[in-house]
Amino acid sequence: MAEERIEPVSRRQTTASTALAVHYTVRMPHPASHNFEVEVAVSGAPGEVTLALPAWTPGSYKIRDFAKNVSSFRARDSRGALEVRQLDKQRWRVAAGHQGRFKASFTLYADEFSVRTPHLDDTHGFFLGTNLLPYIEREAGFPAPARHSVTVVPPRGWKVATGLKPVKGKAFTYLAEDYDILGDSIFEIGTHELHSFKAFGVRHDVAIVGWGNFNARQMVADIKKLCETEPRLFGGVPYDYYLFVIHCFPDAGGGLEHLNSCVCGWPSFKFKPREEYDNFLRLVAHEYFHVWNVKRIRPAILGPFDYSREQYTRALWVMEGLTQYYEKLWCARAGLLGDEALLNSYAENIDREDNRPGRKVMSLEESSWLAWTKLYQADENFINSGVSYYSRGSQVGFVLDARLRALTDGERSLDDVMKAAMERYGWPKPGFAEGEFEKLCSEIAGQSLDDFFEAHVRGTSELDYREVLEVYGLEFKRDKDEPSAWLGLTHGTKDGAFQVRTVEAGSPAMAAGLQVRDELLALNGHRVTAKDFDDRLKDFRKGDRISLTLFRRGRLVEARLTVAEKPAGKLKLVRVAKPTALQDRNFRRWLWK
Ligand SMILES: [Zn+2]
């Protein structure tokens, strides 16, 4: 029997004459309980209706089953209670309401604070449309809803920030053209500071939520610089309003992109020192670049969306890897990051990723395709078995950009690819077919780049940086020459025990049979702790034999290791002393100087 396929109502369907409409009301009468009270008022329904909550939310490729937070799902019409059958973990079948109208309601518990999950407490409320608002499942003979609207009822003194269009004259009420736009929307409810500026003639708001050691004026001024820089590549902005929501809480982190908004989380007191603040700006530059790359330029499977299950694409290295490549570049182009810091951040990524055993095992395509169960559920062995399409994709972007410049005497670059991709596939146009982005790169290069993609996207070949160095006039350097002792393990403290966290394939630690969760006790018979382990290792050189005493599953074990070495210094990328005129021109063009 063929698997049942569920298709959400989305912009795929045309609007029929029957005016099926959905109005959501979201209340939060007691925020500290973490409970949102959701009401779904449906009118114009031709019969029974199935309401469904998404299993995942776009931009975050993991099954999260938002319906797991639902309780007390009920429905009624003007005559009384209606029968509701829960069909599976995320769908409810509601009996036909009188004259096509009914109201469903449920409670949704929201105590997982992240950029992708619903959260409510006495500090604020946050949700995405996909977290909380069920869609009407598409059925034969069913019209697509002609209207989606939402009313948020905040506690007294709280306000609402969202990218959705407000309905004039109705407090905290918003309209969405279809479920994809509704599901994509951020709702931030609380007492946040709201800052505004104009870029490209369009209003941009920055809602700062929480507390921390930031300078709000500086932050908004720097975000404005990004908004005045990134759109220049595409000749302007593709929205008429944009909202940044910045979560500043001790447990905040990560970012999530939306069509005309994004949410960025940053730990309250990590806005200083400057290097940390630079990392924050990179996050903002990253999420903002997604306005184009992923929210508009995207593989066909990433919009319109099927929210019912995993959606597979081999192109996440384009969506996330190239965005990670660009995030630093945008900061540099906007004058927020110096040349040295920019080059060193690429060098650091190269040093880490090239030395990762998993890069010989998993290709970028595979990393993209299996994001749902690999990168998004990475375990302690992922360093040996996988690569991140973010970091590895960023490296490939770095090399690909230089190759495009090398092949065209500096006349064309990855910028031209992104621009052409936006013109060709930018939402609301249909997304690209698998492999089409690579073809576009070849088109811009004026010759086939198939070998490059075969080697570095479909394959796991070593990246060659000679072209990058040649194009921009750069060289690699180590800030220290002497090597240091290396065992190939990382460690940390868990439940008070000093433990092995990862063991690298091909390392002395793996050869000696060390295992993740081994509790480290002594080195050559003397006690070691998390604080002094790395320093103690400095006493040894390549070839030295050492013993590690440890507990493994409660039993005392002694392991003998032969010390290896690795370069001690940080890898740096620096400009050559005397670049050629072409190298100098390429470098300046790269950074838009
Ligand atoms: Zn991203």
Side-chain angles (χ1 to χ4, degrees), residues 38-315:
V38 182
E39 185 185 87
V40 189
V42 176
S43 55
E48 290 191 354
V49 165
T50 299
L51 292 172
L53 264 174
W56 66 289
T57 199
S60 181
Y61 308 102
K62 187 178 179 187
I63 294 299
R64 295 185 191 273
D65 289 331
F66 299 114
K68 73 185 176 197
N69 302 313
V70 169
S71 61
S72 306
F73 194 107
R74 294 194 176 87
R76 63 188 157 81
D77 65 3
S78 57
R79 295 167 167 179
L82 290 175
E83 190 196 349
V84 176
R85 276 179 296 137
Q86 181 142 13
L87 302 178
D88 56 28
K89 61 178 180 174
Q90 61 201 16
R91 300 186 303 151
W92 296 265
R93 186 77 171 163
V94 181
H98 181 56
Q99 294 180 334
R101 290 173 175 271
F102 71 88
K103 280 181 180 171
S105 62
F106 57 89
T107 300
L108 190 135
Y109 183 73
D111 191 29
E112 188 184 349
F113 177 59
S114 81
V115 295
R116 58 195 80 82
T117 47
H119 184 248
L120 176 66
D121 67 9
D122 55 3
T123 60
H124 83 140
F126 173 80
F127 66 91
L128 308 175
T130 48
N131 294 161
L132 216 67
L133 309 176
Y135 56 87
I136 294 182
E137 202 173 280
R138 179 82 168 138
E139 292 175 50
F142 235 73
R147 185 187 161 97
H148 290 86
S149 52
V150 190
T151 299
V152 178
V153 184
R156 186 182 295 272
W158 287 19
K159 56 195 170 185
V160 179
T162 176
L164 281 182
K165 284 189 179 68
V167 175
K168 270 188 192 153
K170 287 194 175 175
F172 305 123
T173 299
Y174 309 91
L175 262 185
E177 287 96 319
D178 59 34
Y179 186 81
D180 279 342
I181 290 177
L182 181 76
D184 173 69
S185 299
I186 290 176
F187 293 83
E188 173 62 43
I189 308 125
T191 56
H192 47 266
E193 298 175 24
L194 198 69
H195 302 260
S196 294
F197 60 83
K198 277 203 165 182
F200 290 88
V202 169
R203 178 173 161 175
H204 294 66
D205 284 347
V206 182
I208 304 180
V209 189
W211 52 85
N213 59 351
F214 51 81
N215 174 335
R217 267 179 67 176
Q218 185 67 49
M219 186 200 290
V220 174
D222 291 342
I223 292 174
K224 182 170 185 239
K225 281 183 189 162
L226 290 169
C227 296
E228 287 168 342
T229 305
E230 299 191 29
R232 281 169 54 201
L233 177 56
F234 303 98
V237 296
Y239 48 75
D240 51 20
Y241 169 72
Y242 194 91
L243 170 69
F244 290 91
V245 171
I246 312 292
H247 282 161
C248 314
F249 291 103
D251 52 346
L256 197 63
E257 66 278 3
H258 302 281
L259 278 165
N260 69 333
S261 60
C262 69
V263 53
C264 298
W266 203 252
S268 294
F269 298 102
K270 287 228 163 162
F271 289 89
K272 286 175 186 162
R274 178 71 208 193
E275 299 77 55
E276 292 285 6
Y277 182 66
D278 284 346
N279 289 333
F280 165 72
L281 290 178
R282 275 171 51 178
L283 172 67
V284 177
H286 178 111
E287 300 311 330
Y288 185 56
F289 190 52
H290 278 318
V291 163
W292 295 273
N293 195 27
V294 94
K295 291 316 299 184
R296 288 173 176 81
I297 303 165
R298 77 234 177 266
I301 196 104
L302 294 184
F305 296 100
D306 177 346
Y307 301 97
S308 67
R309 63 187 66 187
E310 296 89 339
Q311 301 298 302
Y312 292 92
T313 170
R314 293 186 170 83

Side-chain angles (χ1 to χ4, degrees), residues 405-456:
R405 290 169 200 269
L407 293 174
T408 59
D409 293 325
E411 292 304 319
R412 306 190 103 184
S413 70
L414 198 55
D415 286 349
D416 297 288
V417 175
M418 300 315 294
K419 221 168 107 178
M422 182 62 189
E423 282 160 15
R424 218 168 279 185
Y425 314 114
W427 178 82
K429 289 177 188 155
F432 57 80
E434 298 282 304
E436 227 171 315
F437 185 87
E438 287 87 333
K439 282 189 196 135
L440 180 60
C441 291
S442 295
E443 193 184 311
I444 297 292
Q447 58 184 275
S448 171
L449 293 175
D450 266 4
D451 290 350
F452 179 88
F453 294 117
E454 191 58 39
H456 304 302

Side-chain angles (χ1 to χ4, degrees), residues 371-427:
W372 300 84
T373 50
K374 298 288 189 182
L375 185 64
Y376 265 90
Q377 299 192 51
D379 61 15
E380 65 282 347
N381 191 48
F382 193 62
I383 188 173
N384 296 321
S385 62
V387 287
S388 155
Y389 49 77
Y390 283 83
S391 313
R392 191 76 187 162
S394 162
Q395 263 177 291
V396 166
F398 183 57
V399 177
L400 175 62
D401 197 359
R403 166 147 304 185
L404 288 162
R405 290 169 200 269
L407 293 174
T408 59
D409 293 325
E411 292 304 319
R412 306 190 103 184
S413 70
L414 198 55
D415 286 349
D416 297 288
V417 175
M418 300 315 294
K419 221 168 107 178
M422 182 62 189
E423 282 160 15
R424 218 168 279 185
Y425 314 114
W427 178 82

